[in-house]
Amino acid sequence: MNLTDEQLKLITEVVSEQAIKTYKEDMEKREISKQDYRLHNIKLLLKNYRALVLHCEELMDELEEFNETSIQELDIETISLESIESIKRSKRKSISMVYFIQGKMEAYKRSCNENELKYYQVLEKRYLSKQKYTISQIAELENIDERTVHRYLKKAIEDLPVIFFGVSAISFAN
């Protein structure tokens, strides 16, 4: 089968256009997936925040003990220096994560105008306060419908990616 130069050119153009279109679609899917993943991570952090705080309250004392323990006081046969350093790093990561979340939530609160503060207050009651509130309790406390509580939570969580991840969380239109 012999193709003319014109036919080869036409085939090349069509294939190139399709390849570019497929590439762009793939990049859009990846960007959407990245945004979904960020939201997922934020929800996961919020959902586990109270447990992390409780964990870190216990860790602060333990970490202080680790820092004051000399190598001579350790039973070298059962505990290696590497394992202690690993434990210390893990505990520091947990504490750092709590401070990170607290800082981001404070930044979100400061970014809210008077009308948006209601979103923060619902988010705080649901995930951040020491007392754990149910959706119905929040609705009663805030004098709003339960559906409104869900809507406020959704809005607050949608506002968080930029605060948590900076400019990389902003989706710019081409």
Side-chain angles (χ1 to χ4, degrees):
M1 177 163 115
N2 291 333
L3 297 175
T4 66
D5 287 343
E6 198 172 297
Q7 289 172 324
L8 282 173
K9 183 179 176 184
L10 180 63
I11 291 170
T12 303
E13 286 175 5
V14 170
V15 169
S16 296
E17 287 174 12
Q18 186 60 41
I20 291 169
K21 180 182 173 188
T22 302
Y23 174 78
K24 286 181 179 179
E25 289 171 355
D26 185 53
M27 292 308 289
E28 288 172 8
K29 286 179 186 174
R30 286 181 189 208
E31 189 59 35
I32 289 168
S33 174
K34 193 187 308 181
Q35 290 170 356
D36 290 346
Y37 192 65
R38 287 182 182 127
L39 280 175
H40 170 76
N41 285 345
I42 289 170
K43 289 175 185 175
L44 199 58
L45 285 172
L46 290 172
K47 183 179 173 188
N48 291 288
Y49 175 76
R50 282 189 189 94
L52 257 177
V53 169
L54 290 174
H55 178 66
C56 287
E57 286 174 356
E58 297 167 8
L59 291 181
M60 295 297 277
D61 294 333
E62 289 179 36
L63 197 54
E64 197 60 39
E65 285 178 32
F66 270 127
N67 287 332
E68 294 173 4
T69 302
S70 70
I71 291 178
Q72 292 79 19
E73 295 176 54
L74 298 175
D75 181 0
I76 301 297
E77 292 177 21
T78 58
I79 300 174
S80 71
L81 191 56
E82 292 83 18
S83 67
I84 290 178
E85 287 304 316
S86 174
I87 291 167
K88 284 169 62 175
R89 279 191 304 273
S90 172
K91 292 180 182 203
R92 283 189 181 114
K93 279 183 184 178
S94 295
I95 293 167
S96 296
M97 187 56 70
V98 167
Y99 286 136
F100 173 79
I101 295 167
Q102 288 173 343
K104 296 306 177 185
M105 291 296 95
E106 186 59 35
Y108 175 61
K109 182 180 179 182
R110 287 191 317 266
S111 76
C112 292
N113 63 34
E114 197 173 305
N115 188 44
E116 296 168 329
L117 208 50
K118 60 190 175 192
Y119 306 130
Y120 172 80
Q121 291 166 339
V122 169
L123 183 78
E124 180 183 40
K125 285 179 180 69
R126 184 66 177 161
Y127 296 110
L128 306 173
S129 62
K130 286 190 178 196
Q131 181 179 343
K132 191 174 186 176
Y133 293 95
T134 65
I135 296 295
S136 58
Q137 288 172 324
I138 296 169
E140 188 176 323
L141 286 169
E142 295 294 321
N143 199 27
I144 56 178
D145 190 78
E146 288 185 24
R147 290 176 301 203
T148 305
V149 172
H150 286 288
R151 202 170 56 249
Y152 284 6
L153 286 171
K154 184 176 188 274
K155 171 70 173 116
I157 290 170
E158 286 173 353
D159 289 344
L160 292 177
V162 172
I163 292 171
F164 272 70
F165 302 108
V167 73
S168 65
I170 298 174
S171 179
F172 295 102
N174 292 338

